[in-house]
Amino acid sequence: MTKILMILTSHDRLGDTGEKTGFWLEEFAAPYYVFKDAGAEVTLASPQGGKPPLDPKSDEEDFQTDATRRFKEDKEAQELLANTERLDEIYPTQYDAVFYPGGHGPMWDLAENADSRRIIEAFVNGGRPLGAVCHAPAVFRHTQTEDGKPLVEGRKVTGFTNGEEEGVGLTDVVPFLLEDMLKEKGADYSKGEDWAPYVLVDGKLVTGQNPASSEEAAKKLLELIED
């Protein structure tokens, strides 16, 4: 059975705004069901383990999809999410692929997390598929290749755009702008229209621009496992 690791944020504070953040529900739910419906075994992990914080905005009615509604009726999935494994106890060799859902939370914790970096570098150096959507490409901020270069240098990647960040009014709240960071690391960054699906595949690396890209990114990751 295909084994897929999904890594979620444990960070719940939206900078100094006093508001909450976390993972974006649709970016978890849509890929989760893509993987489950394909017969994969899904393991969930986060830096602190236990129940990761949900961005409350992603739970608003305007952002519900078939996948989020399915999740709200799925007791097994809810139980799994409430008991994520600790990232420092994860052995990457046990999994066929890893996928990072977004939300603003990863900008603070997963971008700086040594265990996340260890896992990503193990997957890339081992030639196994890796996916990240929306804000989750923040996890590549410090990752490197075996020869010490930025992991995304020269690679086709996308992620939440400066325009989309401005659209949600958080340009001055986030610790860095994702689009700018990826470009600074030498990535061949590109983007589609704001809020429209846009997914890139470069070797075994899959990135999606925004929430609308999460399902397609998950499907592309599955294709890479099957290759």
Side-chain angles (χ1 to χ4, degrees):
M1 179 183 286
T2 299
K3 295 185 176 182
I4 300 178
L5 176 66
M6 295 184 75
I7 298 177
L8 297 111
T9 182
S10 292
H11 185 88
D12 70 350
R13 297 185 311 282
L14 191 59
D16 299 323
T17 64
E19 296 181 26
K20 294 292 188 181
T21 190
F23 72 94
W24 196 260
L25 181 58
E26 196 274 343
E27 294 171 30
F28 160 72
Y32 175 79
Y33 287 116
V34 167
F35 301 146
K36 291 292 286 186
D37 291 347
E41 178 183 311
V42 179
T43 297
L44 305 183
S46 62
Q48 295 178 21
K51 189 174 184 178
L54 173 67
D55 186 315
K57 284 190 170 59
S58 73
D59 207 21
E60 294 175 358
E61 184 57 37
D62 286 352
F63 300 113
Q64 299 314 297
T65 64
D66 289 344
T68 64
R69 285 185 282 269
R70 181 176 171 185
F71 173 73
K72 290 173 188 288
E73 300 295 325
D74 188 341
K75 298 300 183 186
E76 180 183 342
Q78 292 171 25
E79 183 71 15
L80 194 66
L81 184 65
N83 295 280
T84 67
E85 299 186 19
R86 285 177 56 96
L87 214 48
D88 59 5
E89 297 174 350
I90 291 293
Y91 294 92
T93 53
Q94 296 178 342
Y95 303 95
D96 299 300
V98 61
F99 188 89
Y100 284 81
H104 280 88
M107 300 282 285
W108 279 273
D109 65 347
L110 290 173
E112 309 297 330
N113 185 277
D115 288 299
S116 176
R117 176 177 171 177
R118 167 181 63 85
I119 291 166
I120 291 169
E121 291 175 353
F123 269 89
V124 171
N125 295 334
R128 282 172 294 148
L130 165 67
V133 68
C134 199
H135 285 91
V139 300
F140 302 127
R141 191 178 192 191
H142 300 298
T143 52
Q144 297 181 343
T145 60
E146 289 180 300
D147 56 2
K149 295 180 180 178
L151 199 65
V152 295
E153 184 177 306
R155 304 195 67 168
K156 295 177 181 177
V157 298
T158 189
F160 206 65
T161 71
N162 289 352
E164 288 168 330
E165 202 68 80
E166 184 177 346
V168 297
L170 295 175
T171 301
D172 297 325
V173 174
V174 291
F176 57 92
L177 290 173
L178 181 59
E179 177 180 334
D180 289 354
M181 182 276 287
L182 292 170
K183 290 176 178 176
E184 288 164 7
K185 296 296 180 182
D188 180 8
Y189 178 91
S190 64
K191 57 190 174 183
E193 294 180 19
D194 284 358
W195 314 114
Y198 188 76
V199 174
L200 291 175
V201 178
D202 186 310
K204 296 288 187 178
L205 176 63
V206 180
T207 49
Q209 180 177 311
N210 48 34
S213 309
S214 58
E215 183 172 334
E216 184 184 348
K219 290 177 178 177
K220 293 294 186 186
L221 189 74
L222 271 183
E223 292 174 7
L224 293 178
I225 298 171
E226 294 162 0
D227 282 351

